[in-house]
Structure formats: structure tokens, C-alpha cells
Amino acid sequence: MDLQLTTKRLVLRPLLMSDVGLVIEMFTDHQIMKYAGGPISEEKINAEMALNIRRGGKGCVGVWCICDRASGEAFGSIALSPLPIDQDHTDWEQVVENQLPDGEIEIGYFLKRAAWGNGYATEAAERLLCFTFEDTSLKEVVAVIDPENKSSRRVLDKIGFVSTGTRRAYGQKLPGFSISADMYRVKHPSL
């Protein structure tokens, strides 16, 4: 399975240890992490980076680095990962090479501030969903957002997610969303 995914403007490639600088830049930024539990310390990022590059389900679960297709510049990340219910963070120990994690798989995305407002999150998420429903055995992807995160809500609306109401995730009650393979195929009948 080819895990490097391309769009007109982007390349999504598996996150590498060498991407730690990008991860630190994004996850220590108060504005980027405003709706995701707040900034994470550089020490914690360094200590957990090896877990964050794990891949499961033959590669379909994990984190991709979002890069500019023309320049190669890395400016974000997008992930398919196990949705935590009562924990406040993703349990990367559930991500095992040749099996899908138990439970729901969520999509999540982060961009450096310089990349905001260009439609990159929507483009990357749409491409990852195409990969998910065309090349993997996953039948549904879920998402949760902070109720104040209107930008993320717009991305989910654009790519076809539907509201599932308030649900428990990350140890709290949050707005939930989902999209099934069948729903995605209705929107994209060429699959």
C-alpha cells in the first residue's frame, strides 16, 4: 500500500522522526493548540515522538506530514488515530503494525499558522478520506472538535462529515461527527 498521497498542491507522507521540529513548532504554539488541550512541552514531544510515528493497520492508521508539493516544505500534520474516550490524549500504544486498533478511528489535522486560510486542511483531509475508503478496510471515520473551533467545523462540513451530536471523547463531552464509506461514495461516485 502506497502511503505517500498527493493532491494538486500537497504531498502527504508518513511522519518521520526528522519532523520533530515541525511537531514542536506546531504543538508548543498557544494559538494552534487553543482548541486541542493547550500547548505541549518540547520535552514531552521529544520523549513521545517515537510513539507518534507508529503506524497500524498496515500503515493506514498513523500521522502524515502535510507538505507543499512544489517546494517540499512541511507545514502541517494529519492523522487517523484511535479516538480516546476517557483519556485526554491518543493512546499510541494501540497502534500496532498489522492490525487496526479496537474502537473508532478519528481524523485530526494541525497546520502552522502561516498555512492557515489556504484550504490545505480541507484538501489534505479529503485526500486522506479517499485513501481510507478506497485502499483500506476502514468503514467509518469519526471526528470531535472543541465547540468553539468554527474553522475545524467548516472543514468537516466541506468533506462530508455529519453531526452525531454530543459524545464522550478526550474525557469530556464534545461535538461528534462521522462519515462512512457509503456516505463518502455518495459524494464521490467515482470510487
Side-chain angles (χ1 to χ4, degrees), residues 97-120:
E97 187 176 335
N98 287 315
Q99 65 187 40
L100 289 172
D102 292 333
E104 297 171 298
I105 300 297
E106 75 166 323
I107 193 169
Y109 32 81
F110 293 91
L111 295 172
K112 294 185 338 186
R113 281 189 274 156
W116 288 0
N118 294 299
Y120 295 139

PDB file of all heavy atoms in Angstrom, residues 97-120:
ATOM      1  N   GLU A  97       1.448  -2.573  14.107  1.00  0.00           N
ATOM      2  CA  GLU A  97       1.737  -2.606  12.671  1.00  0.00           C
ATOM      3  C   GLU A  97       0.688  -3.283  11.789  1.00  0.00           C
ATOM      4  O   GLU A  97       0.217  -2.702  10.840  1.00  0.00           O
ATOM      5  CB  GLU A  97       3.099  -3.268  12.444  1.00  0.00           C
ATOM      6  CG  GLU A  97       3.545  -3.194  11.000  1.00  0.00           C
ATOM      7  CD  GLU A  97       4.928  -3.752  10.786  1.00  0.00           C
ATOM      8  OE1 GLU A  97       5.721  -3.756  11.740  1.00  0.00           O
ATOM      9  OE2 GLU A  97       5.213  -4.184   9.665  1.00  0.00           O
ATOM     10  N   ASN A  98       0.330  -4.506  12.065  1.00  0.00           N
ATOM     11  CA  ASN A  98      -0.530  -5.233  11.126  1.00  0.00           C
ATOM     12  C   ASN A  98      -1.966  -5.406  11.586  1.00  0.00           C
ATOM     13  O   ASN A  98      -2.657  -6.307  11.119  1.00  0.00           O
ATOM     14  CB  ASN A  98       0.088  -6.592  10.800  1.00  0.00           C
ATOM     15  CG  ASN A  98       1.288  -6.458   9.894  1.00  0.00           C
ATOM     16  OD1 ASN A  98       1.254  -5.717   8.914  1.00  0.00           O
ATOM     17  ND2 ASN A  98       2.360  -7.126  10.233  1.00  0.00           N
ATOM     18  N   GLN A  99      -2.426  -4.540  12.482  1.00  0.00           N
ATOM     19  CA  GLN A  99      -3.822  -4.643  12.897  1.00  0.00           C
ATOM     20  C   GLN A  99      -4.418  -3.263  13.126  1.00  0.00           C
ATOM     21  O   GLN A  99      -3.702  -2.311  13.425  1.00  0.00           O
ATOM     22  CB  GLN A  99      -3.958  -5.507  14.145  1.00  0.00           C
ATOM     23  CG  GLN A  99      -3.303  -4.921  15.373  1.00  0.00           C
ATOM     24  CD  GLN A  99      -3.306  -5.893  16.545  1.00  0.00           C
ATOM     25  OE1 GLN A  99      -3.090  -7.081  16.367  1.00  0.00           O
ATOM     26  NE2 GLN A  99      -3.554  -5.388  17.720  1.00  0.00           N
ATOM     27  N   LEU A 100      -5.719  -3.215  12.952  1.00  0.00           N
ATOM     28  CA  LEU A 100      -6.436  -1.970  13.249  1.00  0.00           C
ATOM     29  C   LEU A 100      -6.722  -1.914  14.739  1.00  0.00           C
ATOM     30  O   LEU A 100      -7.034  -2.929  15.349  1.00  0.00           O
ATOM     31  CB  LEU A 100      -7.750  -1.909  12.472  1.00  0.00           C
ATOM     32  CG  LEU A 100      -7.630  -1.694  10.972  1.00  0.00           C
ATOM     33  CD1 LEU A 100      -8.983  -1.837  10.301  1.00  0.00           C
ATOM     34  CD2 LEU A 100      -7.027  -0.338  10.678  1.00  0.00           C
ATOM     35  N   PRO A 101      -6.619  -0.726  15.331  1.00  0.00           N
ATOM     36  CA  PRO A 101      -6.951  -0.590  16.757  1.00  0.00           C
ATOM     37  C   PRO A 101      -8.421  -0.910  16.995  1.00  0.00           C
ATOM     38  O   PRO A 101      -9.261  -0.746  16.121  1.00  0.00           O
ATOM     39  CB  PRO A 101      -6.673   0.883  17.057  1.00  0.00           C
ATOM     40  CG  PRO A 101      -5.800   1.357  15.954  1.00  0.00           C
ATOM     41  CD  PRO A 101      -6.142   0.530  14.758  1.00  0.00           C
ATOM     42  N   ASP A 102      -8.718  -1.382  18.203  1.00  0.00           N
ATOM     43  CA  ASP A 102     -10.118  -1.555  18.589  1.00  0.00           C
ATOM     44  C   ASP A 102     -10.747  -0.172  18.714  1.00  0.00           C
ATOM     45  O   ASP A 102     -10.080   0.789  19.043  1.00  0.00           O
ATOM     46  CB  ASP A 102     -10.211  -2.280  19.942  1.00  0.00           C
ATOM     47  CG  ASP A 102      -9.737  -3.725  19.861  1.00  0.00           C
ATOM     48  OD1 ASP A 102      -9.821  -4.318  18.771  1.00  0.00           O
ATOM     49  OD2 ASP A 102      -9.280  -4.243  20.893  1.00  0.00           O
ATOM     50  N   GLY A 103     -12.017  -0.091  18.477  1.00  0.00           N
ATOM     51  CA  GLY A 103     -12.715   1.179  18.659  1.00  0.00           C
ATOM     52  C   GLY A 103     -12.684   2.048  17.418  1.00  0.00           C
ATOM     53  O   GLY A 103     -12.267   1.641  16.331  1.00  0.00           O
ATOM     54  N   GLU A 104     -13.123   3.281  17.603  1.00  0.00           N
ATOM     55  CA  GLU A 104     -13.278   4.209  16.491  1.00  0.00           C
ATOM     56  C   GLU A 104     -11.950   4.846  16.102  1.00  0.00           C
ATOM     57  O   GLU A 104     -11.077   5.058  16.930  1.00  0.00           O
ATOM     58  CB  GLU A 104     -14.264   5.312  16.879  1.00  0.00           C
ATOM     59  CG  GLU A 104     -15.661   4.783  17.152  1.00  0.00           C
ATOM     60  CD  GLU A 104     -16.556   5.836  17.748  1.00  0.00           C
ATOM     61  OE1 GLU A 104     -16.240   6.320  18.855  1.00  0.00           O
ATOM     62  OE2 GLU A 104     -17.574   6.167  17.105  1.00  0.00           O
ATOM     63  N   ILE A 105     -11.866   5.200  14.825  1.00  0.00           N
ATOM     64  CA  ILE A 105     -10.693   5.891  14.283  1.00  0.00           C
ATOM     65  C   ILE A 105     -11.119   7.318  13.949  1.00  0.00           C
ATOM     66  O   ILE A 105     -12.115   7.537  13.255  1.00  0.00           O
ATOM     67  CB  ILE A 105     -10.159   5.191  13.012  1.00  0.00           C
ATOM     68  CG1 ILE A 105      -9.759   3.748  13.331  1.00  0.00           C
ATOM     69  CG2 ILE A 105      -9.003   5.974  12.412  1.00  0.00           C
ATOM     70  CD1 ILE A 105      -8.635   3.604  14.338  1.00  0.00           C
ATOM     71  N   GLU A 106     -10.353   8.272  14.470  1.00  0.00           N
ATOM     72  CA  GLU A 106     -10.678   9.679  14.231  1.00  0.00           C
ATOM     73  C   GLU A 106      -9.672  10.312  13.276  1.00  0.00           C
ATOM     74  O   GLU A 106      -8.540   9.863  13.143  1.00  0.00           O
ATOM     75  CB  GLU A 106     -10.705  10.473  15.535  1.00  0.00           C
ATOM     76  CG  GLU A 106      -9.351  10.786  16.106  1.00  0.00           C
ATOM     77  CD  GLU A 106      -9.382  11.845  17.202  1.00  0.00           C
ATOM     78  OE1 GLU A 106     -10.177  12.816  17.109  1.00  0.00           O
ATOM     79  OE2 GLU A 106      -8.583  11.718  18.137  1.00  0.00           O
ATOM     80  N   ILE A 107     -10.130  11.363  12.614  1.00  0.00           N
ATOM     81  CA  ILE A 107      -9.254  12.189  11.798  1.00  0.00           C
ATOM     82  C   ILE A 107      -8.962  13.474  12.579  1.00  0.00           C
ATOM     83  O   ILE A 107      -9.831  13.994  13.276  1.00  0.00           O
ATOM     84  CB  ILE A 107      -9.888  12.510  10.417  1.00  0.00           C
ATOM     85  CG1 ILE A 107      -8.850  13.103   9.465  1.00  0.00           C
ATOM     86  CG2 ILE A 107     -11.109  13.399  10.560  1.00  0.00           C
ATOM     87  CD1 ILE A 107      -9.334  13.194   8.013  1.00  0.00           C
ATOM     88  N   GLY A 108      -7.730  13.940  12.471  1.00  0.00           N
ATOM     89  CA  GLY A 108      -7.340  15.188  13.115  1.00  0.00           C
ATOM     90  C   GLY A 108      -6.257  15.856  12.288  1.00  0.00           C
ATOM     91  O   GLY A 108      -5.499  15.177  11.594  1.00  0.00           O
ATOM     92  N   TYR A 109      -6.184  17.173  12.338  1.00  0.00           N
ATOM     93  CA  TYR A 109      -5.230  17.911  11.500  1.00  0.00           C
ATOM     94  C   TYR A 109      -4.768  19.167  12.216  1.00  0.00           C
ATOM     95  O   TYR A 109      -5.505  19.770  12.984  1.00  0.00           O
ATOM     96  CB  TYR A 109      -5.855  18.277  10.141  1.00  0.00           C
ATOM     97  CG  TYR A 109      -7.342  18.535  10.220  1.00  0.00           C
ATOM     98  CD1 TYR A 109      -7.837  19.767  10.647  1.00  0.00           C
ATOM     99  CD2 TYR A 109      -8.250  17.525   9.920  1.00  0.00           C
ATOM    100  CE1 TYR A 109      -9.201  19.986  10.754  1.00  0.00           C
ATOM    101  CE2 TYR A 109      -9.624  17.743  10.037  1.00  0.00           C
ATOM    102  CZ  TYR A 109     -10.082  18.976  10.454  1.00  0.00           C
ATOM    103  OH  TYR A 109     -11.434  19.194  10.584  1.00  0.00           O
ATOM    104  N   PHE A 110      -3.508  19.523  11.951  1.00  0.00           N
ATOM    105  CA  PHE A 110      -2.898  20.738  12.503  1.00  0.00           C
ATOM    106  C   PHE A 110      -2.061  21.379  11.410  1.00  0.00           C
ATOM    107  O   PHE A 110      -1.373  20.674  10.661  1.00  0.00           O
ATOM    108  CB  PHE A 110      -1.974  20.409  13.690  1.00  0.00           C
ATOM    109  CG  PHE A 110      -2.700  19.888  14.888  1.00  0.00           C
ATOM    110  CD1 PHE A 110      -2.897  18.532  15.060  1.00  0.00           C
ATOM    111  CD2 PHE A 110      -3.197  20.764  15.842  1.00  0.00           C
ATOM    112  CE1 PHE A 110      -3.571  18.045  16.165  1.00  0.00           C
ATOM    113  CE2 PHE A 110      -3.877  20.287  16.953  1.00  0.00           C
ATOM    114  CZ  PHE A 110      -4.064  18.918  17.113  1.00  0.00           C
ATOM    115  N   LEU A 111      -2.102  22.706  11.337  1.00  0.00           N
ATOM    116  CA  LEU A 111      -1.286  23.456  10.379  1.00  0.00           C
ATOM    117  C   LEU A 111      -0.540  24.567  11.101  1.00  0.00           C
ATOM    118  O   LEU A 111      -1.082  25.174  12.041  1.00  0.00           O
ATOM    119  CB  LEU A 111      -2.155  24.094   9.294  1.00  0.00           C
ATOM    120  CG  LEU A 111      -2.913  23.168   8.353  1.00  0.00           C
ATOM    121  CD1 LEU A 111      -3.857  23.986   7.483  1.00  0.00           C
ATOM    122  CD2 LEU A 111      -1.963  22.358   7.495  1.00  0.00           C
ATOM    123  N   LYS A 112       0.681  24.841  10.635  1.00  0.00           N
ATOM    124  CA  LYS A 112       1.372  26.029  11.123  1.00  0.00           C
ATOM    125  C   LYS A 112       0.512  27.243  10.779  1.00  0.00           C
ATOM    126  O   LYS A 112      -0.202  27.243   9.771  1.00  0.00           O
ATOM    127  CB  LYS A 112       2.753  26.161  10.449  1.00  0.00           C
ATOM    128  CG  LYS A 112       3.699  25.055  10.822  1.00  0.00           C
ATOM    129  CD  LYS A 112       5.115  25.151  10.320  1.00  0.00           C
ATOM    130  CE  LYS A 112       5.453  25.964   9.141  1.00  0.00           C
ATOM    131  NZ  LYS A 112       6.855  25.829   8.704  1.00  0.00           N
ATOM    132  N   ARG A 113       0.600  28.289  11.594  1.00  0.00           N
ATOM    133  CA  ARG A 113      -0.241  29.463  11.363  1.00  0.00           C
ATOM    134  C   ARG A 113      -0.047  30.071   9.980  1.00  0.00           C
ATOM    135  O   ARG A 113      -0.994  30.558   9.375  1.00  0.00           O
ATOM    136  CB  ARG A 113       0.000  30.516  12.443  1.00  0.00           C
ATOM    137  CG  ARG A 113      -0.736  30.184  13.717  1.00  0.00           C
ATOM    138  CD  ARG A 113      -0.678  31.294  14.703  1.00  0.00           C
ATOM    139  NE  ARG A 113       0.537  31.184  15.503  1.00  0.00           N
ATOM    140  CZ  ARG A 113       1.111  32.181  16.115  1.00  0.00           C
ATOM    141  NH1 ARG A 113       0.625  33.393  16.034  1.00  0.00           N
ATOM    142  NH2 ARG A 113       2.192  31.983  16.839  1.00  0.00           N
ATOM    143  N   ALA A 114       1.184  30.052   9.457  1.00  0.00           N
ATOM    144  CA  ALA A 114       1.457  30.616   8.133  1.00  0.00           C
ATOM    145  C   ALA A 114       0.672  29.900   7.030  1.00  0.00           C
ATOM    146  O   ALA A 114       0.470  30.448   5.947  1.00  0.00           O
ATOM    147  CB  ALA A 114       2.948  30.566   7.829  1.00  0.00           C
ATOM    148  N   ALA A 115       0.195  28.690   7.304  1.00  0.00           N
ATOM    149  CA  ALA A 115      -0.538  27.907   6.302  1.00  0.00           C
ATOM    150  C   ALA A 115      -2.056  28.012   6.467  1.00  0.00           C
ATOM    151  O   ALA A 115      -2.802  27.472   5.658  1.00  0.00           O
ATOM    152  CB  ALA A 115      -0.109  26.443   6.372  1.00  0.00           C
ATOM    153  N   TRP A 116      -2.520  28.706   7.484  1.00  0.00           N
ATOM    154  CA  TRP A 116      -3.954  28.839   7.719  1.00  0.00           C
ATOM    155  C   TRP A 116      -4.618  29.640   6.597  1.00  0.00           C
ATOM    156  O   TRP A 116      -4.029  30.531   5.997  1.00  0.00           O
ATOM    157  CB  TRP A 116      -4.216  29.562   9.036  1.00  0.00           C
ATOM    158  CG  TRP A 116      -3.905  28.763  10.269  1.00  0.00           C
ATOM    159  CD1 TRP A 116      -3.422  27.494  10.335  1.00  0.00           C
ATOM    160  CD2 TRP A 116      -4.065  29.190  11.618  1.00  0.00           C
ATOM    161  NE1 TRP A 116      -3.261  27.109  11.641  1.00  0.00           N
ATOM    162  CE2 TRP A 116      -3.650  28.137  12.453  1.00  0.00           C
ATOM    163  CE3 TRP A 116      -4.503  30.373  12.198  1.00  0.00           C
ATOM    164  CZ2 TRP A 116      -3.665  28.227  13.837  1.00  0.00           C
ATOM    165  CZ3 TRP A 116      -4.524  30.463  13.585  1.00  0.00           C
ATOM    166  CH2 TRP A 116      -4.120  29.394  14.397  1.00  0.00           C
ATOM    167  N   GLY A 117      -5.870  29.314   6.317  1.00  0.00           N
ATOM    168  CA  GLY A 117      -6.682  30.095   5.395  1.00  0.00           C
ATOM    169  C   GLY A 117      -6.459  29.801   3.926  1.00  0.00           C
ATOM    170  O   GLY A 117      -6.969  30.524   3.070  1.00  0.00           O
ATOM    171  N   ASN A 118      -5.735  28.727   3.616  1.00  0.00           N
ATOM    172  CA  ASN A 118      -5.458  28.386   2.215  1.00  0.00           C
ATOM    173  C   ASN A 118      -6.193  27.148   1.727  1.00  0.00           C
ATOM    174  O   ASN A 118      -5.975  26.701   0.606  1.00  0.00           O
ATOM    175  CB  ASN A 118      -3.950  28.172   2.023  1.00  0.00           C
ATOM    176  CG  ASN A 118      -3.163  29.436   2.230  1.00  0.00           C
ATOM    177  OD1 ASN A 118      -3.364  30.418   1.519  1.00  0.00           O
ATOM    178  ND2 ASN A 118      -2.277  29.439   3.215  1.00  0.00           N
ATOM    179  N   GLY A 119      -7.037  26.561   2.574  1.00  0.00           N
ATOM    180  CA  GLY A 119      -7.764  25.356   2.189  1.00  0.00           C
ATOM    181  C   GLY A 119      -6.946  24.079   2.282  1.00  0.00           C
ATOM    182  O   GLY A 119      -7.388  23.023   1.827  1.00  0.00           O
ATOM    183  N   TYR A 120      -5.766  24.154   2.900  1.00  0.00           N
ATOM    184  CA  TYR A 120      -4.903  22.970   2.985  1.00  0.00           C
ATOM    185  C   TYR A 120      -5.501  21.866   3.850  1.00  0.00           C
ATOM    186  O   TYR A 120      -5.387  20.679   3.517  1.00  0.00           O
ATOM    187  CB  TYR A 120      -3.517  23.325   3.522  1.00  0.00           C
ATOM    188  CG  TYR A 120      -2.706  24.237   2.637  1.00  0.00           C
ATOM    189  CD1 TYR A 120      -1.951  25.262   3.190  1.00  0.00           C
ATOM    190  CD2 TYR A 120      -2.664  24.070   1.255  1.00  0.00           C
ATOM    191  CE1 TYR A 120      -1.189  26.101   2.404  1.00  0.00           C
ATOM    192  CE2 TYR A 120      -1.906  24.906   0.458  1.00  0.00           C
ATOM    193  CZ  TYR A 120      -1.166  25.921   1.035  1.00  0.00           C
ATOM    194  OH  TYR A 120      -0.409  26.743   0.244  1.00  0.00           O
TER     195      TYR A 120
END
